[in-house]
Amino acid sequence: MSLSSHDRRGSAWSSGLAPAIHALACLLLALGASPGSAQIVTRLEGDARLIASDNPFVLPGADNEAFAAELAVRPEFTWAPGPATTAEVTGNVAYRRYSRRYGDFLTARIEAAASHRHSEYLSVGTNLSYARDLPADAMTETIDFSIDPRSMRQRLAANGSLDWSPDARTTINAAAGWERLRYPGSALLSAANAYHVDLAAIRRLSPETSAGIRASFTHTDIIGIASLKAYAVYATVSHRIGTVLDASADIGVEWSGYNLPGNRRARLSGRANLCYRPSPYDLCLT
């Protein structure tokens, strides 16, 4: 069932980790070599930990317990070429080896982000990330582990955003993103591509109250299986009650469906939040 140490490390390097590290190195060299560029602030952390679990991959049956040793390195680079522009690159590379049965794993997360505030009315941001991880380590984020507990997941994502304030009371937010998921070596999980577009307009009606509308579109293509499209339009309102209490509500319509005849459906959706925010705490009821 398990792959050898050599196979896992070779797969990690050839299927995405090496190109990601190469791109990161090129980015840092370009920043450092730019004429008149600001100094890059560098930070490096590392740690070692011992993990004990009675069933690390949530497998059926008995005799699943194991210990694991993990070594991790976390570099961070921050660059500010101007007072209104910042760029940051962060990474996390970890090697984990189990005492029995499961073998070893090489995981990595690399993220590059940049933001620029053109004026008090306009700002833009972008984000590019790569991750190679174990879905079993993120059970609250994905159900992949329940399908193939031993799989490795590779995730490449790019996002961009724009915030525009045409006047003192109005804010318009636009965002778009793309994501690709792959599961090298898994016979049970399929690769997927997804992209989304979001648009929101908020108007401040008074110092305490704001209202607006937001819309979104998401397209997910599960390669070789099906594609899913989802649309949503919401009306939103928020109100601040005193200095530590605020409330908000959304109500709207969502349409979603696979690329199958008669599979599209619409539903009414809503949400209300009440938050109590005594510094430094936030307590919210949804």
Side-chain angles (χ1 to χ4, degrees):
M1 260 178 84
S2 66
L3 297 175
S4 70
S5 300
H6 174 78
D7 289 337
R8 288 195 181 276
R9 287 194 294 270
S11 175
W13 191 255
S14 62
S15 59
L17 186 55
I21 293 178
H22 177 72
L24 173 60
C26 291
L27 174 62
L28 294 176
L29 288 173
L31 293 179
S34 299
S37 64
Q39 180 181 4
I40 297 177
V41 178
T42 305
R43 181 178 179 182
L44 182 64
E45 295 182 349
D47 61 47
R49 62 175 181 157
L50 184 64
I51 306 167
S53 175
D54 61 348
N55 195 349
F57 293 93
V58 200
L59 297 174
D63 193 31
N64 293 318
E65 64 278 355
F67 290 93
E70 183 175 274
L71 300 175
V73 177
R74 290 185 295 275
E76 181 179 315
F77 308 90
T78 304
W79 181 56
T85 304
T86 59
E88 184 179 49
V89 179
T90 58
N92 186 346
V93 179
Y95 173 74
R96 181 187 305 177
R97 182 169 184 83
Y98 283 91
S99 59
R100 56 186 297 273
R101 186 175 181 181
Y102 305 111
D104 57 352
F105 299 89
L106 181 66
T107 61
R109 291 176 181 267
I110 301 171
E111 182 175 352
S115 63
H116 175 71
R117 186 175 178 84
H118 182 73
S119 67
E120 60 180 315
Y121 304 105
L122 180 66
S123 60
V124 295
T126 186
N127 178 286
L128 176 65
S129 63
Y130 168 83
R132 173 186 165 85
D133 55 18
L134 287 162
D137 285 346
M139 295 183 183
T140 59
E141 299 175 10
T142 176
I143 63 169
D144 300 345
F145 79 96
S146 64
I147 301 173
D148 190 353
R150 299 288 307 282
S151 65
M152 292 294 296
R153 178 181 61 181
Q154 291 187 7
R155 177 180 179 269
L156 182 64
N159 296 278
S161 63
L162 181 147
D163 296 329
W164 176 47
S165 299
D167 58 58
R169 289 176 173 265
T170 306
T171 302
I172 296 175
N173 310 110
W178 170 85
E179 180 179 17
R180 176 172 174 80
L181 294 175
R182 294 180 63 240
Y183 304 88
S186 175
L188 302 177
L189 292 166
S190 297
N193 296 317
Y195 63 87
H196 68 88
V197 179
D198 304 300
L199 183 65
I202 306 296
R203 177 77 175 175
R204 194 171 74 249
L205 306 178
S206 71
E208 298 82 18
T209 306
S210 298
I213 187 170
R214 61 184 177 90
S216 65
F217 169 73
T218 302
H219 180 270
T220 303
D221 181 22
I222 305 172
I223 297 174
I225 298 180
S227 63
L228 170 67
K229 294 182 179 180
Y231 309 80
V233 178
Y234 286 93
T236 69
V237 62
S238 61
H239 182 72
R240 191 173 70 249
I241 308 167
T243 58
V244 296
L245 194 64
D246 61 75
S248 63
D250 299 347
I251 187 168
V253 181
E254 299 177 350
W255 298 266
S256 63
Y258 289 94
N259 57 338
L260 299 173
N263 195 253
R264 180 164 296 180
R265 61 179 183 176
R267 64 177 182 178
L268 184 67
S269 178
R271 182 181 65 176
N273 298 311
L274 181 64
C275 294
Y276 177 59
R277 307 182 191 276
S279 181
Y281 306 103
D282 286 349
L283 305 174
C284 293
L285 178 65
T286 301

